[in-house]
């Protein structure tokens, strides 16, 4: 098993995507740039809730195994959740990263990966949770927004916060321009946080995340 310069095992990451996968790409690029052992983690598989997305194409280009778990292929949301948990478990990850994965996972998934399932959200939580964080901040008239990297719990974007990045809202912003600026900050933050979690380990004390 590969080890980091500090002698710790390189962590295994499974990344979940639903769309363009630029956050996944940022992780791939950084791991490629630094090398797996210096970064402290390697991506061992990429999963999605739909076919034909750029995120999966990026994974395939990087030579990574991929899997797709679509809600509509299962009789119930619970069955889908169990299947997703099984598919992820098969790769024995230390951390699971939701990088633009637009589904709420259920009990079975959290039972297996709670406390090590990281999500990135395009707003400053607890403001503007849910599927439209950028649009909602803009509509509210917020002057600053940003991104939040957090652990997933059983609520919608309510889990313990690991790190946040701030982005100013400009008068001329529409949702797409603002989201692009947020994603520039978000990609750097996610790469930094996942690396630190992998290299140093963490503990969760109530709502507080402490990275050793
Ligand atoms: C990111 O901005 C991420 O925060 C957001 O989707 C985008 C994915 O971009 N996720 C959510 O809104 C989850 N509620 P990417 O596919 O280019 O990485």
């Amino acid at each position: 098993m590969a080890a980091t310069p500090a002698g710790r095992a390189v962590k295994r990451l499974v990344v979940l995507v639903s769309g363009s996968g630029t956050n996944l790409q940022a992780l791939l690029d950084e791991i490629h740039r630094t090398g797996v052992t210096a970064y402290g983690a390697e991506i061992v598989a990429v999963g999605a809730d739909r076919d034909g997305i750029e995120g999966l194409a990026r994974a395939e280009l990087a030579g990574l195994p991929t899997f797709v778990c679509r809600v509509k292929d299962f009789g119930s949301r619970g069955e889908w959740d169990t299947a997703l948990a099984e598919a992820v478990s098969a790769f024995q990850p230390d951390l699971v990263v939701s990088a633009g994965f637009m589904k709420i996972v259920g009990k079975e998934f959290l039972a297996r990966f709670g406390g090590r399932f990281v999500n990135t959200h395009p707003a400053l939580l607890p403001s503007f949770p849910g599927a439209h964080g950028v649009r909602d901040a803009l509509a509210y008239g917020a002057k600053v927004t940003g991104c939040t990297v957090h652990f997933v719990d059983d609520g919608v974007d309510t889990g313990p916060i690991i790190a946040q990045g701030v982005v100013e809202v400009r008068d001329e912003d529409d949702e797409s321009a603002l989201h692009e600026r947020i994603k520039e900050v978000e990609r750097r933050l996610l790469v930094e946080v996942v690396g630190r979690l992998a290299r140093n380990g963490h503990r969760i004390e109530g709502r507080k995340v402490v990275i050793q």
Side-chain angles (χ1 to χ4, degrees), residues 28 146 153 169:
L28 287 168
D153 68 5
V169 180

Side-chain angles (χ1 to χ4, degrees), residues 2-190:
T4 67
R8 296 205 171 118
V10 167
K11 299 295 188 303
R12 296 169 64 82
L13 308 177
V14 168
V15 180
L16 301 178
V17 296
S18 296
S20 62
T22 66
N23 280 282
L24 164 66
Q25 191 66 54
L27 287 164
L28 287 168
D29 291 349
E30 183 66 3
I31 293 169
H32 182 73
R33 192 183 71 78
T34 62
V36 163
T37 54
Y39 187 69
E42 62 178 329
I43 300 176
V44 294
V46 173
D49 62 331
R50 61 197 75 182
D51 303 294
I53 55 172
E54 216 186 322
L56 286 175
R58 290 176 191 275
E60 279 154 21
L61 203 63
L64 292 171
T66 61
F67 58 89
V68 176
C69 217
R70 300 185 305 179
V71 173
K72 66 178 178 192
D73 293 336
F74 296 88
S76 69
R77 193 75 186 204
E79 282 173 40
W80 169 79
D81 183 56
T82 301
L84 181 70
E86 291 285 345
V88 172
S89 286
F91 293 97
Q92 300 185 306
D94 298 294
L95 290 171
V96 184
V97 180
S98 157
F101 187 63
M102 300 302 280
K103 289 280 181 302
I104 306 290
V105 299
K107 278 197 175 71
E108 180 61 34
F109 194 93
L110 288 175
R112 297 202 204 187
F113 301 110
R116 53 197 180 104
F117 182 30
V118 175
N119 179 47
T120 177
H121 180 75
L124 292 174
L125 295 172
S127 293
F128 313 119
H132 305 291
V134 180
R135 187 189 306 172
D136 293 347
L138 206 53
Y140 195 86
K143 297 299 183 196
V144 291
T145 182
C147 49
T148 302
V149 179
H150 66 98
F151 284 112
V152 178
D153 68 5
D154 59 0
V156 176
D157 299 324
T158 51
I161 290 172
I162 310 168
Q164 294 183 298
V166 177
V167 174
E168 223 170 294
V169 180
R170 295 179 186 156
D171 290 343
E172 66 275 18
D173 269 338
D174 59 12
E175 185 181 353
S176 137
L178 180 56
H179 199 172
E180 271 317 306
R181 287 209 316 291
I182 290 172
K183 282 171 73 166
E184 280 172 28
V185 175
E186 186 177 29
R187 290 190 280 262
R188 286 196 297 273
L189 191 69
L190 184 68

